[in-house]
Amino acid sequence: MADKLHFEFQQIINDYDAIPEFLENYKELSIIEFNYYTVNNLSLFLVHEDIDFDNIEEVLNKFEFTLPSIKRIFAKPIIHLKEDDEVLPVENVRLINNSTINHIATHSELWDDYDERGIKPLKLLTRTYQDNYSIYENILFAKTVDFMLQYLHKHMRILKNLMYSCKIIEFNLLEKINHWDYFLALGKLHIGYVRDFGKYYTRAKDIYLRMSLISDSLTARLKRNVYRLNHKKTGNIQLHNSNILHMQKDYHRVYLLYKNYKKSNDNEIEITKPMMEKFFQNYFSYLIIITIFSILHFNFTCDEHKKFSLDSLNMDFEFKDWKLHTALSKNKKGIFITVTKDSTYKIVIVPSNNKNLNFAADEIVYVTPFMEQKKYEYISISDVESFRRIQRIIQRAMILSDSKFDTCLFCGEKLNRISLDDEPNEYVCNSCRTHIMEKKCELTNEKYYITSIYDYKIDNEAYDDPSSIYHYRNITNVTKNGEFICPKCGKVH
């Protein structure tokens, strides 16, 4: 497991432990019971509330105390000169000695010409001096910077989730941006989370700002040679106090910080294969529950009193002319979502650890609980928007099973065609501003659809997840600037 992934796993290893017990206690239940128990007996969203603010601030104080020394080392590190003898073209030679004369006298192949006055050489042996950054003290320095960035990014993510969860929800009802069930879903998720945490909001915000400043200071200097040439050195280095680490003030501060880190890191959990297998079993159980939660909060309904089994997930839903069926794969490794309207489109949701398995479906969506795995869909108990990412998958299946485009998938009202007969199909819902456009890939000539919010102006806010630009109403991926990425070739047309 990569270092960054290992670091994140340490934090979330116990987040999903309560899910299997819920499935064991409620093997069969109705929709009414499901809604009640997921609100009262289970948390589908959590932030690590046991944050030790005093400990974090103590660590930040050490970081800030050491940061000036780190900046000075970045600017002017201690290096060793490495001597080498090289044969170079004459125009590149800056130093000659007796070895140069002896070498050219015995290597006629390096001569350009000669006469009674002497030899005209093509190349000469010379001594070169190169800066050697890879000394023990600089490797230790790079390891220290790495651990600081890991610590900062980990806790910044926790605090960011915390602050997002504490802030007041903005009701954009008049702008017709969010689904009417969105705020109901948020309320249910937060019931499982809120523990009078609002009083810590200001403190969390101040700590996040301090972390950002330290992180920015380090990140801006990562291309310097003292870090760039040393941070990929693998393995743990044996910690010992060399003369430089002992005598030079800046390096000594770095040594003390790394020593403190090693001491606190000795109790780190060793991740074993059985531990990973259990974790992903729990994660898959979470996917089962959050999938049903997402469907129920996006238009679809079913018989509220009919019992269903979470062990098979064999359920039928409907909304207008759409039919949706869910089921677990035979090997219990994937969740099938089959949507039918004018045609049938089947999607299977699969955890990223099962990416080598085969599934019979129109589309396979790999999901992950790790933020570091950017190429997969991020569905996590620690991200409140996870249910909307699943709803985005459902919207894609609804679009790709439709050919008439007479009903809005978002609100159920009538869709209006706004394109001319000789133009690609384009539809708008006057009620919720859903915008559907037919496109053709310029490379493969295949047809595809994009969805967004009609006449929507993108703000200048920085988004961690580009899909949140359109409030997860886009069925295709978008860039950080809001440009739509073609699903056929992966490029922007």
Side-chain angles (χ1 to χ4, degrees):
M1 183 183 288
D3 288 343
K4 290 184 178 179
L5 206 58
H6 183 280
F7 200 79
E8 187 173 355
F9 185 80
Q10 294 284 342
Q11 178 212 338
I12 67 173
I13 184 171
N14 299 318
D15 286 0
Y16 301 88
D17 286 353
I19 307 293
E21 183 180 352
F22 179 87
L23 292 182
E24 185 66 29
N25 293 337
Y26 306 105
K27 291 183 177 180
E28 289 194 359
L29 65 173
S30 66
I31 292 299
I32 294 177
E33 292 170 332
F34 177 85
N35 286 329
Y36 177 82
Y37 292 137
T38 51
V39 169
N40 293 280
N41 296 3
L42 184 67
S43 293
L44 290 178
F45 166 63
L46 60 87
V47 174
H48 297 265
E49 300 168 44
D50 54 345
I51 300 174
D52 188 342
F53 285 102
D54 292 334
N55 179 263
I56 293 176
E57 289 184 323
E58 183 181 341
V59 173
L60 285 185
N61 289 337
K62 293 177 181 177
F63 283 5
E64 289 168 342
F65 176 75
T66 312
L67 189 59
S69 295
I70 290 175
K71 290 179 180 180
R72 286 192 289 268
I73 294 174
F74 267 119
K76 197 173 181 180
I78 293 176
I79 58 176
H80 289 170
L81 284 178
K82 183 179 180 182
E83 297 183 3
D84 277 319
D85 289 333
E86 290 187 66
V87 177
L88 299 175
V90 172
E91 59 270 18
N92 294 337
V93 173
R94 296 291 179 267
L95 177 68
I96 61 174
N97 51 31
N98 290 335
S99 297
T100 307
I101 305 300
N102 293 335
H103 184 270
I104 195 63
T106 57
H107 290 80
S108 58
E109 72 274 9
L110 301 179
W111 299 356
D112 182 30
D113 196 6
Y114 67 94
D115 54 27
E116 65 277 2
R117 291 176 300 175
I119 299 170
K120 181 182 179 182
L122 283 171
K123 295 182 178 181
L124 290 172
L125 178 70
T126 185
R127 177 153 294 183
T128 60
Y129 297 91
Q130 294 180 346
D131 294 337
N132 179 21
Y133 288 88
S134 297
I135 62 175
Y136 167 76
E137 291 78 9
N138 288 337
I139 296 173
L140 181 74
F141 168 77
K143 293 283 186 185
T144 304
V145 172
D146 279 340
F147 114 73
M148 290 176 68
L149 287 173
Q150 287 179 338
Y151 182 91
L152 292 169
H153 292 166
K154 166 190 170 183
H155 287 87
M156 285 171 69
R157 181 171 70 88
I158 296 172
L159 292 174
K160 191 170 185 179
N161 284 337
L162 183 154
M163 290 187 292
Y164 180 86
S165 306
C166 290
K167 75 177 183 180
I168 299 172
I169 299 172
E170 296 179 1
F171 285 80
N172 298 312
L173 297 178
L174 295 179
E175 296 182 17
K176 303 177 182 178
I177 290 175
N178 292 300
H179 194 273
W180 54 65
D181 282 340
Y182 170 64
F183 302 106
L184 174 63
L186 275 188
K188 290 180 178 179
L189 292 173
H190 279 71
I191 287 175
Y193 158 68
V194 174
R195 300 289 186 274
D196 193 27
F197 208 81
K199 59 185 178 182
Y200 296 116
Y201 179 81
T202 303
R203 193 176 183 188
K205 190 175 180 181
D206 292 340
I207 292 176
Y208 184 87
L209 179 60
R210 289 174 65 188
M211 287 183 167
S212 297
L213 293 174
I214 300 172
S215 177
D216 291 345
S217 296
L218 295 176
T219 304
R221 294 170 169 82
L222 295 184
K223 291 185 179 180
R224 304 282 178 89
N225 286 337
V226 66
Y227 175 82
R228 183 176 60 84
L229 299 176
N230 291 309
H231 82 104
K232 290 185 179 180
K233 304 288 184 182
T234 57
N236 292 323
I237 59 176
Q238 194 69 28
L239 193 62
H240 61 83
N241 197 352
S242 67
N243 287 336
I244 294 176
L245 294 179
H246 181 69
M247 302 295 294
Q248 211 280 342
K249 181 182 70 172
D250 293 333
Y251 278 92
H252 184 66
R253 287 183 178 179
V254 169
Y255 165 76
L256 292 177
L257 184 62
Y258 188 80
K259 184 179 179 180
N260 184 269
Y261 157 71
K262 288 289 290 182
K263 192 174 183 180
S264 63
N265 215 37
D266 287 340
N267 296 325
E268 185 180 86
I269 302 171
E270 181 184 354
I271 298 174
T272 62
K273 186 177 179 181
M275 193 181 296
M276 285 291 291
E277 291 175 350
K278 180 185 176 184
F279 171 80
F280 273 106
Q281 287 175 358
N282 296 348
Y283 177 64
F284 186 72
S285 300
Y286 161 77
L287 288 177
I288 292 173
I289 298 175
I290 197 65
T291 297
I292 299 302
F293 181 89
S294 305
I295 293 170
L296 291 174
H297 291 85
F298 190 75
N299 299 325
F300 285 95
T301 59
C302 64
D303 186 345
E304 293 186 343
H305 301 283
K306 183 179 178 180
K307 297 277 187 177
F308 68 91
S309 171
L310 290 171
D311 193 46
S312 65
L313 213 64
N314 189 8
M315 301 177 67
D316 292 294
F317 303 84
E318 60 180 30
F319 169 64
K320 298 294 182 177
D321 295 330
W322 281 281
K323 309 291 183 185
L324 187 151
H325 178 74
T326 60
L328 297 185
S329 61
K330 291 182 180 179
N331 57 10
K332 303 291 179 68
K333 302 293 184 182
I335 302 172
F336 284 102
I337 299 177
T338 306
V339 178
T340 302
K341 188 175 181 280
D342 303 321
S343 61
T344 298
Y345 195 82
K346 181 184 285 188
I347 293 179
V348 59
I349 298 174
V350 182
S352 58
N353 65 309
N354 294 325
K355 61 177 182 276
N356 296 325
L357 301 179
N358 295 320
F359 297 90
D362 296 299
E363 181 182 345
I364 301 176
V365 178
Y366 295 108
V367 298
T368 179
F370 304 113
M371 288 188 71
E372 292 295 337
Q373 293 184 320
K374 302 293 185 183
K375 59 183 177 180
Y376 304 127
E377 196 77 45
Y378 179 52
I379 308 293
S380 168
I381 198 171
S382 60
D383 192 291
V384 75
E385 300 287 18
S386 291
F387 78 99
R388 287 219 284 182
R389 294 190 182 95
I390 293 179
Q391 289 177 349
R392 194 168 76 98
I393 297 170
I394 297 170
Q395 290 178 69
R396 184 159 63 248
M398 294 173 73
I399 289 288
L400 296 175
S401 67
D402 198 355
S403 61
K404 298 176 183 175
F405 295 101
D406 50 357
T407 306
C408 175
L409 76 162
F410 203 72
C411 69
E413 298 296 324
K414 185 179 182 300
L415 274 180
N416 302 294
R417 177 170 176 161
I418 60 173
S419 55
L420 301 176
D421 292 339
D422 58 343
E423 293 179 338
N425 293 324
E426 186 175 357
Y427 305 91
V428 168
C429 174
N430 294 331
S431 177
C432 69
R433 297 169 61 191
T434 292
H435 188 198
I436 303 172
M437 293 182 66
E438 179 185 312
K439 295 282 187 178
K440 186 169 285 189
C441 177
E442 296 176 1
L443 296 180
T444 66
N445 210 32
E446 294 180 87
K447 182 176 70 173
Y448 66 95
Y449 293 93
I450 62 173
T451 59
S452 62
I453 305 169
Y454 187 69
D455 198 26
Y456 179 67
K457 294 180 180 179
I458 300 175
D459 56 37
N460 295 322
E461 184 178 346
Y463 294 92
D464 289 336
D465 182 358
S467 290
S468 61
I469 294 175
Y470 295 105
H471 298 267
Y472 299 93
R473 290 176 65 172
N474 53 296
I475 63 171
T476 55
N477 292 330
V478 296
T479 67
K480 291 183 178 180
N481 298 322
E483 299 171 304
F484 293 92
I485 300 172
C486 173
K488 304 299 181 182
C489 67
K491 298 184 181 297
V492 175
H493 298 312

